[in-house]
Amino acid sequence: MQPQTYRMPSEDALQRLLKATNAARAVARKCGNDVYAAAGPLMLNIRLIAAAQTHAEDMAEHDFFAHEGSDRSDVVVRALRFNYSYRMVGENIAAGYPDVQTTIDGWLTSPGHCRNLMNPDFREVGFGYAEKQDTEYGRYWVQVLGVQH
């Protein structure tokens, strides 16, 4: 059996994304009409990182922006591909943002993305990032949140 390959953003990018996400979760906020108390910090999970990175690269390679992959996969399928035994998963995507903080800020201004980010049931997170010139957005960001059984 072949060992599983895990594609990842740089360690520096992962740490910046984790720090910004956990800083956002540490503050009570309103997401649309829902009020969220501060939530506990998330921990990186390599399987979620792989699922997120794969989707970021797929969007960049095929020049699209959607939760559905070019192979029609969704976040559940992508998490399972990397053997993430989930009880619950969620996904935030962003495109075109120039850096980590503006990406996180963008998610916080979108009620659905904000709800995912602030959901206190999530315990783990993975991030993906890909850049490709001559695409509509240039930069593609993915955050996959989860909690295992």
Side-chain angles (χ1 to χ4, degrees), residues 55 59 64-69 72-75 78 91-93 113 116:
H55 190 50
M59 288 191 292
F64 73 95
F65 178 65
H67 287 283
E68 183 177 280
R72 303 186 67 113
S73 64
D74 63 14
V75 66
R78 291 188 289 272
E91 178 180 73
N92 288 338
I93 60 174
H113 293 103
N116 274 344

Side-chain angles (χ1 to χ4, degrees), residues 25 87-88 118-123 146-147:
R25 284 173 61 89
R87 183 168 50 90
M88 183 172 67
M118 292 301 296
N119 187 327
D121 294 333
F122 287 131
R123 300 280 185 251
V147 60

Side-chain angles (χ1 to χ4, degrees), residues 39-69:
L42 300 168
M43 294 177 49
L44 288 173
N45 178 286
I46 192 164
R47 296 176 194 295
L48 295 179
I49 293 168
Q53 184 64 26
T54 298
H55 190 50
E57 290 174 5
D58 183 32
M59 288 191 292
E61 183 61 31
H62 295 102
D63 194 11
F64 73 95
F65 178 65
H67 287 283
E68 183 177 280

Side-chain angles (χ1 to χ4, degrees), residues 71-89:
D71 62 358
R72 303 186 67 113
S73 64
D74 63 14
V75 66
V76 169
V77 169
R78 291 188 289 272
L80 289 172
R81 283 181 183 158
F82 290 97
N83 300 311
Y84 186 76
S85 178
Y86 71 92
R87 183 168 50 90
M88 183 172 67
V89 290

